[in-house]
């Protein structure tokens, strides 16, 4: 039986959360106090929990419709959500699609909106502690960063690689990115330059 599991005793024991099933979960993110959780699902929805991961619902059954794909070329295929990240408070949430664009929420996940125009395989997203800074990797493309809570995103370098994942420090200054089967790159200036 698949699903999302949660622990309330520092990982000693785990229980299956209600409202989850055997689908392809791709990423989890949570607020610093552990109360708010977000999960991305391949070919389905973004899920939400407000009780420390014990029960979950999709955005089609919470308060607003689930995030929809950008209008250009998306058709009716269910979104392929690959990665999700949140600020420590849980207010700002970034989500990426495997065949679409980036999405953001500034309302604790109550509503999402597309925040990039570049389409492709967005393999990973990361957030600083406040949510002011964000980073995202585009497979076969650039690393993108945001400095305004995910409102706009800018390509950071000429490195166009098969990016796999990105991570960001709490203050947003230090980043680490990994390419598929390749090297690890770092930046210590908010993603402006990489080495």
């Amino acid at each position: 039986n698949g699903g999302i599991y949660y622990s309330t005793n520092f990982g000693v024991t785990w229980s299956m959360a209600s409202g989850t099933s055997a689908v392809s979960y791709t990423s989890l993110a949570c607020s610093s106090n552990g109360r708010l959780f977000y999960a991305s699902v391949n070919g389905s929805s973004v899920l939400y929990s407000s009780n420390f991961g014990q029960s979950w619902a999709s955005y089609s059954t919470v308060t607003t419709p689930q995030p929809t794909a950008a209008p250009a070329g998306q058709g009716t295929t269910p979104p392929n959500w690959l990665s999700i990240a949140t600020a420590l408070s849980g207010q700002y949430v970034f989500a990426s699609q495997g065949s679409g664009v980036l999405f953001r929420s500034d309302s604790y996940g109550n509503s999402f909106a597309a925040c990039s125009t570049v389409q492709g395989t967005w393999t990973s997203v990361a957030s600083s502690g406040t949510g002011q800074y964000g980073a995202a990797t585009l497979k076969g493309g650039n690393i993108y960063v945001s400095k305004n809570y995910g409102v706009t995103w800018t390509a950071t370098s000429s490195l166009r690689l098969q990016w796999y994942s990105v991570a960001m420090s709490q203050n947003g200054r230090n980043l680490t990115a990994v390419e598929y089967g390749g090297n690890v790159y770092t930046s210590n200036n908010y993603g402006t330059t990489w080495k």
Side-chain angles (χ1 to χ4, degrees):
N1 294 331
I4 296 175
Y5 285 74
Y6 69 93
S7 174
T8 59
N9 56 7
F10 303 95
V12 176
T13 59
W14 294 80
S15 302
M16 185 173 175
S18 63
T20 65
S21 59
V23 295
S24 179
Y25 299 99
T26 55
S27 182
L28 283 171
C30 73
S31 60
S32 61
N33 63 6
R35 184 175 70 86
L36 299 175
F37 274 85
Y38 305 96
S40 56
V41 183
N42 186 359
S44 181
S45 178
V46 173
L47 301 184
Y48 169 88
S49 172
S50 60
N51 59 359
F52 301 93
Q54 296 181 36
S55 62
W56 294 74
S58 73
Y59 279 108
S60 59
T61 59
V62 181
T63 57
T64 60
Q66 68 182 13
T68 55
Q74 293 301 298
T76 58
T77 303
N80 176 18
W81 299 103
L82 285 186
S83 183
I84 197 162
T86 183
L88 295 178
S89 65
Q91 177 179 358
Y92 297 97
V93 186
F94 307 139
S96 68
Q97 292 183 336
S99 55
V101 296
L102 295 175
F103 284 77
R104 71 180 288 270
S105 171
D106 59 5
S107 58
Y108 297 91
N110 284 314
S111 63
F112 280 83
C115 59
S116 72
T117 57
V118 178
Q119 297 208 15
T121 302
W122 293 95
T123 55
S124 180
V125 289
S127 173
S128 65
T130 63
Q132 178 180 355
Y133 298 97
T137 49
L138 181 64
K139 187 177 181 182
N142 298 96
I143 298 172
Y144 285 73
V145 295
S146 173
K147 299 180 180 180
N148 55 5
Y149 299 91
V151 175
T152 58
W153 296 79
T154 305
T156 63
S157 72
S158 59
L159 292 173
R160 298 177 62 87
L161 302 173
Q162 299 298 309
W163 297 113
Y164 178 74
S165 185
V166 66
M168 174 178 279
S169 63
Q170 186 171 325
N171 64 7
R173 179 177 178 178
N174 300 299
L175 296 91
T176 302
V178 181
E179 62 172 319
Y180 281 92
N183 297 312
V184 177
Y185 294 82
T186 61
S187 172
N188 60 7
N189 54 9
Y190 301 94
T192 302
T193 57
W194 294 81
K195 59 183 180 179

